[in-house]
Amino acid sequence: MQSPNDITSASQVLPSSPSDSRGEGGREKKGAVYSSIGGIIPTPTTTTTTTASNDVNLLTAYLLYSLFGVFGIHHAYLHRPTQGLAWYASGGLFGWGLLRDLFRIPDYVSLARDGGTGRSEDDANNVTARIRDATVRARNGIPKMSLARIVLMGAFGTYFGFIASCLVYLPVESSSGSSSSSSGSIYSSSMIDNGALLLYGTLRAVGAAAGIWLVGNMGDQMLMNGPGDDDDDDSGGGVGREFAHLVAWCIGGFAVANAPVLVGIVHAVRRRRYRPSMSYVTNATTTTTTTGTRGSPSSSSSASARIGRHLLACAVFTALLVLAAYNHGSVTFAGGRRVYLREAIRNAYRSRFWEEEFDWTRFRDDRGGDTGGEYLKKAFDLQGERAARRTLGVGMDAPHSEVRSAYKRLAMRYHPDKMGSNFSDGEVLEAQEQFVKVQEAYKVLNDIEQRRKKKEAGAGQEGGHSGGNRPERDEM
């Protein structure tokens, strides 16, 4: 909240009329915006003529907010693309941001309509925009340190870092000492394990930088270089270099202290600056003899183009989120067994669930209970039990002893040592593939059976008797 003293001091540098800092025809020059900042935002050597975007209005903003507020489309409409993406990624900032927008949208509209030729009398006397301009001048372009923004940087840095680290799946040595890497690899399991952890950590640092960058550029603030840096161009490279600096700090924080988010926040707080303006569009017909500096208002576009870019960014984020869930998401079953989502999808395809009759009554009853959709998991065979029993040639109600017998018989049949010289190369290769399938099928069924026994034994002890009954089979 701006103090009375700050506003008083700010009003001393506020132009006495809307045209004081404008050139001929009322066009505002970038060079005049921060002429009193004293080098904090470098004084531009040249200026591009710009005009403000007047394609926003309060009614449309509230309509987009009421219909698509959780997707952040109203922020894209109001020239706040990073804030819109943050809203989409967090469900309207976990609901709190949506409530805040209900009262802040009028201010957002006022700031988005500020500046340029053709402004109405009301726009020229925009109190919200003029107070902001005075505040920026009084604080030399450096906003106050905000605890709420720092907390959001930590939350989004951790959130995006976790998503980025899940974008790939690499073998990591388990706690029992076994590794999922192939036995024929020329690299040891420890080398693969360390390499995977290093890659995961690097991705986490890059994701943390993206989350911090998103929050640091929300609203009327931005991350940019201070005086003395050479990155003072407006070609887009300066923004890329600034983000690269943040990524480097986060990676360094991971390498030194395994704290990429904390180190990234320290760097971002040092780089915080006010945006020169919330909405400008380049005037393609009239330009002065100079060009702007990095950190000056960037080119804008129509509302439909802004919303289209926002939807594209949301689609990219959704695709990355789905990829992360596919690689590292899991499904937990009643017996405590966890199956990775990528394996569950493969099991569902192998089960040919579309050939089975779906019991809608059981599905509705199960959905209303506390079983976590167990019928749906069984119907799609996400554990792979139905496909595994089909591989071994046993029915769903066959006891585990019959499963073990079928496994031994098929393992002996397709064992590589049983394939003599009288078999062709194609037959040997097919037998090897079948042998692997038999091994995998029995591993799945044996794991399910062991967990069922443990669950039954635990239930028997709680009920005061031993769990000697045969495990209940699924009815499909």
Side-chain angles (χ1 to χ4, degrees), residues 269-300:
V269 169
R270 293 174 55 249
R271 300 289 197 176
R272 70 189 189 281
R273 299 291 186 274
Y274 276 116
R275 292 184 185 276
S277 178
M278 292 303 299
S279 173
Y280 279 81
V281 292
T282 301
N283 188 333
T285 59
T286 306
T287 57
T288 58
T289 58
T290 57
T291 58
T293 178
R294 192 178 68 78
S296 57
S298 59
S299 298
S300 183

Side-chain angles (χ1 to χ4, degrees), residues 8 43 59 113 145 223 249 298 383 395 423 438 458:
T8 302
T43 301
L59 179 61
R113 291 177 61 98
M145 187 178 300
L223 302 183
W249 273 71
S298 59
Q383 288 192 96
F423 291 91
V438 168

Side-chain angles (χ1 to χ4, degrees), residues 227-391:
D229 293 325
D230 297 330
D231 300 338
D232 52 352
D233 64 88
D234 195 29
S235 61
V239 175
R241 280 193 290 270
E242 183 62 33
F243 179 71
H245 292 162
L246 180 58
V247 171
W249 273 71
C250 289
I251 293 178
F254 161 71
V256 175
N258 194 24
V261 175
L262 179 60
V263 175
I265 290 175
V266 172
H267 175 75
V269 169
R270 293 174 55 249
R271 300 289 197 176
R272 70 189 189 281
R273 299 291 186 274
Y274 276 116
R275 292 184 185 276
S277 178
M278 292 303 299
S279 173
Y280 279 81
V281 292
T282 301
N283 188 333
T285 59
T286 306
T287 57
T288 58
T289 58
T290 57
T291 58
T293 178
R294 192 178 68 78
S296 57
S298 59
S299 298
S300 183
S301 57
S302 64
S304 59
R306 296 195 301 273
I307 293 176
R309 286 196 298 267
H310 173 72
L311 294 177
L312 179 60
C314 293
V316 171
F317 177 80
T318 302
L320 296 177
L321 198 63
V322 170
L323 179 60
Y326 176 80
N327 282 328
H328 291 272
S330 63
V331 180
T332 304
F333 295 85
R337 184 170 185 260
R338 294 179 58 199
V339 178
Y340 278 112
L341 188 59
R342 61 181 181 277
E343 297 176 359
I345 295 175
R346 184 171 62 249
N347 292 335
Y349 175 75
R350 290 177 178 177
S351 69
R352 300 197 295 269
F353 62 88
W354 54 88
E355 299 178 358
E356 303 289 339
E357 183 179 356
F358 192 83
D359 191 339
W360 288 101
T361 302
R362 288 189 60 184
F363 170 68
R364 286 191 295 268
D365 295 341
D366 179 65
R367 185 178 56 179
D370 56 355
T371 56
E374 288 301 317
Y375 173 73
L376 194 62
K377 298 173 185 177
K378 296 171 184 175
F380 288 96
D381 193 29
L382 300 185
Q383 288 192 96
E385 181 178 8
R386 192 160 65 242
R389 287 179 176 272
R390 187 183 295 114
T391 299

